[in-house]
């Protein structure tokens, strides 16, 4: 978790900040950033995943001094970036299958080790489907063996590439094309789904963290921190999908922020199975504020407001807040997260 | 130097001399002895510069191999049966990406019903996966084909599967001349990948290809496989020069020259078949045997040349396609459209293929009584019993 | 060896795919008018000078400020800072302490001796400014900067107008005032003191243009039945005498009549002159008092008592009679017929000031209404060449408004002299709070300015409110959200999923690469200060 710098207008919340020393600014603020995922890709307008991937990879490129190779699961990220004859990647990149990216990454890491090329670091990445569902066996195997891989899940809470079907990361009540907003309990079922980060922690791997595209300093510092460890590491990044969530493209980052500020998406980091820091909620909002701008939750507000369902979602957020101490993070983890002055 | 050695061990030792850099495997009978031996070789340090990865599934095994190969390592794995099917998706991917992975398949039946014994259903199910498939007749061939496989795979950037019959070969102790290290090193230069994940020369591997170029990609893969036929013959000669023993890379004909009927088969059953043919020849029956080492690519020219004018072909199949019949026979019918073609399905799920049964079937062939599709030793009593099972 | 066909690709090749073709809307960088700038009567570009102050470039900040206002140190003390009232940050936590930073810059300039030089070539035109109050001096300053020859004439022995003779020293230290006036004089402005100008018409003959800024210097009187022994003074007189070092004898019990800032200043002055009992009598309630709430509060801290809803019915030696009032439905105070006596050694009237219009008496084309001289939008009176501003024209009657008039008048006079009428640049649309993305701004409560201990205040005319130290001033400057004006936070550059924002380098801002911008609008939403618009693409 990044230490928040002393008060400087936007402190360390904005991407840059001319008032900060260069090394305290984000990688993204650097005009010579690597743009690991470059322009011309075919992601939807305002795609959070495209943004998240560049954020993560550019940070990893900086952390590794450019000694990085990547492995990518099937999914939007892969499809929109590499339609023959053009690729948007500027880093070494390998796509094999939907469900095997963690294992392929293990193979790459193992090969590099066997070849004595431990200067090169490996980053695997995939969507939530590729990570928490179909790739989960491989992911767990990679964790359990402790292969030297940082695996990054870009969580857009559904199988977007195939047309927005439900995944194990789809939140309750969300409408997808396989959990339609029809019937007495419209949208995705309550009581299902899993927390991949918590399961990752149960493997007691060196480092697990969650992040979003709404807090770049935090995200980058986590990538950098992850790269400071060897062995299996996991980063779970929330990346809203304007298409699948039915949000205005311009609101992609804002919606990610509301997910955090409502408590629905806890942002934390853990080492060897123990939570070591959480990002406190800065301006708490009711879940409704997060749900409303998204068409996938429209049935909670039209034709009439479904207070019962909204309350259940709020209860989930409250539980996160309680469980991770999102409102009193400083009590648990000391002061450095906030603004000093 | 010949030594009495279990087939699995001979293969493991041979693979080790090919200096793989990444070995990954998931246990399944009858492959286990191979990977156990390799694991010990790596762990003890006798196989240096190699990492052994205990993966959580065959899917992961092939995936690790894919990653390793793409990162410039010589990668090896072994499996069988259910494991091969569990890899299926990754098999196509490895060949599609042109990654020179070598894999041993210790051939075994596929369930249900679950059955751990030998037949060829597993490898046959992946015949169109884009892998080169080589079938070993005995453990010497099994060992030698691995050396050839690595060389071929890396020269052509394509994965190679070496098939050896489960238990029959893997667990059989025979005299094998395990390739020596020095000779192996001469035959097999270090791996020079055609494409590699390298920060100093970044590339995108595994792009999405649409209708505009997909056919061409597939066509080029076909051309590459066909090129392998010629190259295999050359490499076999080089192999012989290096190791001082013959290696049949495509087909191995036995007493075919003047045969009226040729029995075609793959794998260890060829031994029994040759004995049967010897018996029949002694009785004046003009019969020969053609062993197929290469099933993919399918060596049409070599088959035609070996079979010569024989008018009848009996294909002894260790697998079959329900609802149709022979798998190998279908390919042979394409290569030899003008011959009388019979399929004899035999040895499924580990049932022994006996000389008596074979003799009987061939006698039927010569007397014109062999049906186009025959199940050898089909047990009528069991079938009747099956009928009577109350519903 | 040749790479495999089609499935292995050369990196970065997607640059050939110009996704800009998808766009239906495009982001456009804009500058919006920050509410502080909008509210500043002197037309200061507050956001802009804060921007420089944020980076610790105080001199640049001061020079930016000086483009509009030659009195930063004075402003930082006496301005009622409507900019802060308008400040968007007030909706987030607390408004930015603009005024405190302004004072810091002004003081820093004095401390470091920063000066302003005239670089414009001489125009050969001569302008007379009548009155050396803030309005006149500001006009002189700007006219001088524009290359004109300027003479300021004032009836008083010292320059400054109400800044010197009205506002007490405990709010505006005189050395500060002197420094800022001297800096104007040093630019080559001729200031002629004790030189009343009785007749503008006469002056017009000697000058190419005249700017009148004589203020509202006449104390309004009211009829209070008073005995001979009653000691009744007017506020301006008291304050002037105090300023000149000749404090009048007010006695121990002083009643001040009125509810404006002048009333507060007089009452607080009375306390400093030794009055044990200073009572402000006002006919309405606290809420309706024209005085600034901070002044009322500070007065109360210093022991000044308030009598709301009261009028003075009569005064005699030693006592005043006050009548209780009540507000009717319209909020107007009505007599109740209930009376009360207050002990009073003196009564000071602070019920308003009027303009002495004799200076325009000989100019029939100059019109006067509601007691003040009328001017057009160009600050010109009905008499061509005669301009007016400050308290003598319709105005909120503050130093800042007077300074603003001075600036405006200078620009119009310049245009008039050059024969090219001045056209003010178009104002940008307002940078409203709704356009901000405030999540990005650090949580930062306002800095509190040091104040003199109340006990000490009643015995000294030393300044009550202190300045900020550098650290606090910097902090305060950095609370500015830069509403509507890019402050180079790099957000747009960072948040574009298509890398379609180009960073042009420090101070150069950014550009959109329309080859790749898909028009998603994320940059627009995530710009903290609302400096990007999303506009429909022309098809
Ligand atoms: C007690 C008091 C406290 C105040 N406190 C504040 C405050 O805290 N903040 C604030 O913003 N405003 C305050 N004001 C209001 C503010 O001082 C005036 O609005 C402002 O000074 C008006 O400026 P001006 O230049 O128009 O006129 P003035 O400041 O009144 O200056 C007019 C000048 O013209 C001169 N003059 C007049 N007639 C002639 C003539 N015929 N020939 C030559 N010279 C002439 C006068 O001598 C004087 O110097 C206060 C006013 C008073 C009375
Ligand atoms: C084995 C297999 N099953 C299904 C698919 C079809 N498929 C491709 S991408 C995808 C969804 C990807 O979802 P996710 O991993 O969440 O990534 P996203 O597209 O949402 O970024 C699916 C179902 C596939 N390619 N392979
Ligand atoms: S569907 Fe969603 S994740 Fe996929 S490219 Fe579009 S916005 Fe991105
Ligand atoms: S996002 Fe930041 S850098 Fe971009 S226009 Fe707005 S203030 Fe300027
Ligand atoms: S974020 Fe990028 S693509 Fe979206 S509108 Fe801004 S410049 Fe265009
Ligand atoms: Mg997804």
């Amino acid at each position: 978790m990044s230490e928040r710098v002393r008060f400087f207008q936007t402190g360390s919340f904005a991407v840059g900040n001319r008032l900060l020393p260069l090394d305290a600014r984000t990688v993204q603020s650097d005009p010579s950033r690597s743009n690991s995922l470059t322009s011309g890709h075919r992601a939807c307008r305002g795609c959070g995943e495209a943004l998240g991937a560049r954020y993560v990879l550019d940070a990893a490129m900086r952390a590794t001094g450019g000694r990085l190779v990547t492995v990518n699961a099937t999914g939007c990220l892969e499809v929109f970036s590499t339609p023959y004859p053009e690729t948007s990647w500027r880093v070494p990149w390998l796509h094999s299958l939907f469900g095997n990216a963690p294992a392929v990454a293990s193979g790459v890491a193992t090969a590099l080790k066997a070849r004595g090329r431990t200067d090169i670091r490996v980053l695997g990445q995939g969507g939530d489907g590729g990570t928490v569902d179909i790739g989960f066996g491989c992911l767990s195997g990679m964790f359990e063996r402790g292969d030297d891989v940082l695996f990054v899940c870009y969580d857009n809470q559904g199988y977007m590439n195939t047309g927005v079907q439900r995944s194990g990361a789809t939140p309750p009540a969300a409408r997808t094309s396989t959990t339609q907003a029809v019937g007495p309990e419209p949208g995705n079922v309550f009581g299902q789904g899993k927390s991949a980060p918590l399961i990752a922690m149960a493997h007691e791997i060196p480092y697990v963290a969650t992040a979003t595209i709404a807090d770049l300093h935090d995200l980058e510092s986590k990538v950098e921190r992850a790269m400071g460890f060897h062995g299996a590491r996991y980063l779970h990044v929330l990346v809203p999908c304007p298409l699948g969530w039915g949000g205005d493209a311009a609101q992609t980052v804002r919606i990610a922020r509301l997910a955090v500020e409502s408590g629905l998406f806890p942002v934390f980091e853990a080492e060897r199975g123990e939570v070591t820091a959480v990002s406190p909620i800065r301006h708490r909002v009711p879940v409704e504020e997060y749900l409303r701008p998204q068409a996938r939750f429209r049935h909670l507000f039209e034709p009439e407001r479904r207070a019962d369902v909204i309350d259940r979602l709020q209860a989930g957020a409250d539980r996160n807040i309680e469980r991770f101490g999102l409102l009193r993070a400083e009590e648990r983890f000391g002061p450095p997260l906030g603004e000093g002055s | 130097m010949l030594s009495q050695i279990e087939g699995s061990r001979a293969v493991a030792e041979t693979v080790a001399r090919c200096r793989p850099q990444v070995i990954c495997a998931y246990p399944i009978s009858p492959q286990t002895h191979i990977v156990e031996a390799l694991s010990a070789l790596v762990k003890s340090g006798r196989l240096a510069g190699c990492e052994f990865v205990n993966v959580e599934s065959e899917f992961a095994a092939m995936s690790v191999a894919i990653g390793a190969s793409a990162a410039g390592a010589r990668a090896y794995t072994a499996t069988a049966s259910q494991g091969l099917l569990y890899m299926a998706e990754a098999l196509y991917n490895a060949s599609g990406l042109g990654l020179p992975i070598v894999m041993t398949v210790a051939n075994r039946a596929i369930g249900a019903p679950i059955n751990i014994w030998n037949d060829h259903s597993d490898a046959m199910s992946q015949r169109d996966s884009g892998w080169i498939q080589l079938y070993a007749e005995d453990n010497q061939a099994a060992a030698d084909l691995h050396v050839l496989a690595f060389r071929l795979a890396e020269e052509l950037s394509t994965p190679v599967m070496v098939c050896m019959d489960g238990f029959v070969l893997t667990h059989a102790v025979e005299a094998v001349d395990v390739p020596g290290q020095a000779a192996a090193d001469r035959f097999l230069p270090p791996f020079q990948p055609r494409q590699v994940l390298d920060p100093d020369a970044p590339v995108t591997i595994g792009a999405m290809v649409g209708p505009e170029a997909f056919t061409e990609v597939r066509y080029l893969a076909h051309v590459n496989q066909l090129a392998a036929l010629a190259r295999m013959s050359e490499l076999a000669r080089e192999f012989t020069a290096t190791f001082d023993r013959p290696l049949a890379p495509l087909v191995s004909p036995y007493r075919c020259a003047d045969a009226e009927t040729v029995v075609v088969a793959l794998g260890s059953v060829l031994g029994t078949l040759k004995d049967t043919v010897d018996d029949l020849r002694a009785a004046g029956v003009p019969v020969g045997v053609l062993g197929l080492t290469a099933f993919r690519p399918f060596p049409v020219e070599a088959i035609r040349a070996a079979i010569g004018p024989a008018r009848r072909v009996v294909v002894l199949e260790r697998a079959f396609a329900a609802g149709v019949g022979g798998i190998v026979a279908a390919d042979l019918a394409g290569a030899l459209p003008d011959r009388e073609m019979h399929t004899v399905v035999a040895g499924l799920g580990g049932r022994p293929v006996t000389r008596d049964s074979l003799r009987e079937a061939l006698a039927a062939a010569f007397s014109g009584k062999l049906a186009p599709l025959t199940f050898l030793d089909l047990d009528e009593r069991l079938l009747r019993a099956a009928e009577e099972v109350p519903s | 060896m040749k790479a495999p066909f089609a499935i292995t690709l050369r990196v970065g090749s997607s640059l050939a795919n110009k996704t800009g073709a998808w766009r239906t809307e495009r982001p456009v960088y804009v500058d919006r008018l920050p509410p502080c700038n909008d509210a500043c009567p002197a037309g200061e570009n507050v956001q802009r000078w804060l921007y420089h102050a944020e980076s610790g470039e105080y001199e640049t900040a001061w020079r930016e400020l000086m483009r509009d206002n030659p009195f930063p140190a004075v402003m930082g003390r006496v301005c009622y800072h409507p900019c802060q009232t308008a400040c968007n940050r007030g909706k987030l936590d607390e408004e930015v302490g603009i005024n405190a930073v302004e004072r810091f810059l002004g003081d820093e300039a004095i401390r470091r001796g920063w000066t302003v030089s005239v670089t414009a070539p001489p125009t050969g035109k001569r302008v007379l400014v009548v009155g050396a109050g803030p309005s006149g001096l500001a006009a002189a300053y700007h006219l001088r900067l524009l290359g004109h020859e300027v003479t300021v004439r004032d009836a008083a022995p010292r320059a400054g107008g109400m800044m010197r003779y009205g506002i007490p020293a405990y709010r505006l230290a005189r050395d500060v005032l002197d420094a800022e006036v001297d800096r104007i004089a040093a630019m080559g402005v001729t200031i002629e003191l004790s030189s009343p100008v009785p007749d503008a018409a006469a002056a017009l003959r000697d000058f190419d243009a005249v700017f009148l800024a004589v203020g509202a210097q006449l104390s309004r009187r009211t009829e209070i039945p008073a005995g001979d022994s009653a000691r009744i003074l007017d506020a301006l007189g008291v304050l002037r005498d105090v300023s000149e070092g000749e404090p009048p004898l007010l006695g121990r019990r002083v009643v001040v009549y009125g509810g404006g800032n002048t009333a507060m200043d007089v009452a607080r002055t009375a306390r400093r002159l030794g009055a044990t009992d200073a009572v402000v009598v006002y006919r309405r309630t606290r809420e309706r008092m024209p005085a600034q709430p901070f002044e009322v509060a500070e007065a109360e801290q210093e022991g000044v008592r308030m009598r709301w809803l009261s009028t003075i019915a009569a005064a005699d030696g030693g006592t005043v009679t006050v009548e209780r009032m009540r507000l009717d439905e319209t909020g107007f105070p009505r007599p109740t017929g209930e009376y009360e006596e207050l002990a009073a050694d003196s009564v000071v009237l602070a019920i308003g000031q009027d303009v002495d219009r004799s200076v325009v008496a000989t100019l029939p084309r100059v019109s006067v209404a509601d007691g003040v001289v009328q001017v057009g939008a160009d600050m010109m009176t009905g008499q061509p060449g005669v301009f007016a501003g400050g308290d003598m024209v319709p105005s909120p009657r503050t130093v800042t408004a007077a300074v603003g008039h001075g600036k405006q008048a200078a620009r119009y006079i310049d245009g008039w002299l050059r024969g090219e009428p001045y056209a003010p640049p178009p104002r940008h649309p307002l940078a409203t709070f709704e356009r901000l993305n405030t999540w990005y701004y650090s949580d930062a409560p306002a800095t509190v300015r040091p104040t003199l201990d109340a006990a000490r205040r009643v015995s000294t005319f030393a300044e009550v409110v202190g300045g900020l130290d550098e650290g606090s001033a910097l902090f305060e400057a950095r609370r500015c959200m830069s509403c509507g004006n890019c402050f180079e936070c790099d957000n747009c550059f960072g948040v574009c999923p298509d890398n379609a924002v180009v960073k042009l380098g420090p101070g150069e801002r950014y550009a959109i690469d329309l080859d790749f911008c898909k028009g998603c609008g994320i940059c627009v939403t995530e710009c903290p200060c609302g400096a990007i618009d999303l506009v429909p693409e022309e098809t």
Side-chain angles (χ1 to χ4, degrees), chain A residues 42-50 76 80 156 160-161 240-244:
Chain A
R42 288 158 161 83
C44 301
R45 213 178 270 172
C47 172
E49 190 167 49
C76 275
F80 71 58
N156 53 21
M160 299 319 180
N161 185 51
C241 161
L243 182 85

Side-chain angles (χ1 to χ4, degrees), chain B residues 37-280:
Chain B
L38 280 166
S39 171
L41 286 169
V42 173
K43 200 146 200 318
S44 65
R46 281 179 53 211
L47 174 48
C50 179
E51 297 290 325
F52 188 96
V53 190
N54 281 299
V55 287
E56 72 284 354
S57 73
E58 287 85 356
F59 179 62
M62 184 45 59
S63 301
V64 166
I66 287 169
S69 185
R74 182 171 287 163
Y76 170 84
T77 185
T79 190
S81 180
Q82 316 297 135
L84 189 67
L85 294 201
Y86 204 55
M87 282 183 183
E89 191 192 9
L91 293 179
Y92 279 73
N93 186 254
S95 62
L97 294 176
L99 297 173
I101 298 160
V102 170
M103 172 166 65
T104 309
V105 176
N107 297 108
R108 168 183 148 178
I110 298 173
I114 189 164
N115 174 302
I116 66 165
W117 308 105
N118 169 236
D119 70 25
H120 289 168
S121 320
D122 52 4
M124 285 296 157
S125 77
Q126 299 307 314
R127 66 167 189 193
D128 300 332
S129 63
W131 284 58
I132 287 177
Q133 284 194 356
L134 306 177
Y135 286 77
E137 177 179 347
D138 55 28
N139 281 341
Q140 185 65 58
D144 293 348
L145 284 174
H146 279 89
V147 185
L148 182 82
F150 278 109
R151 175 85 185 267
L152 186 66
E154 289 169 14
E155 277 194 6
L156 296 177
S157 288
T158 190
V160 179
M161 205 182 277
V162 179
C163 302
M164 64 190 292
D165 287 322
F167 295 112
V168 181
L169 293 182
T170 55
H171 289 56
V173 176
E174 290 174 6
V176 177
D177 187 352
V178 173
Q181 187 64 67
D185 285 346
R186 251 180 290 132
F187 186 76
L188 187 59
F191 178 31
Q192 294 287 344
R194 178 168 61 146
Q195 53 183 347
V196 64
L197 293 171
D198 179 1
D200 293 324
V203 282
T204 288
I205 304 178
M208 187 180 80
V209 180
E212 69 281 13
F214 196 81
T215 305
E216 289 68 23
V217 170
R218 282 287 174 266
Y219 173 78
L220 291 171
H222 175 63
V223 169
N224 196 40
Q225 283 239 350
L226 293 185
L229 290 172
R231 190 63 190 138
M232 275 192 274
S233 298
E234 291 162 17
L235 288 177
R237 282 193 288 278
E238 194 183 325
F239 181 93
T240 302
T242 310
F243 294 94
D244 200 21
R245 60 175 171 272
L247 177 64
L250 305 179
V251 295
S252 55
Y254 181 72
R255 302 183 86 163
C256 287
D258 56 347
E260 183 200 306
T261 297
V262 172
V263 186
V264 180
L266 300 78
S268 62
V269 77
L270 286 167
T272 317
L273 261 177
K274 284 178 187 169
D275 291 346
T276 311
V277 163
D278 287 343
D279 294 348
L280 290 170

Side-chain angles (χ1 to χ4, degrees), chain C residues 27 492 495-501 512 516-524 534:
Chain C
C492 49
V495 299
C496 175
D498 292 279
N499 308 349
V501 177
I512 305 292
F516 297 109
C517 166
K518 293 172 184 163
C520 69
I522 293 184
C523 55
V524 178
L534 197 62

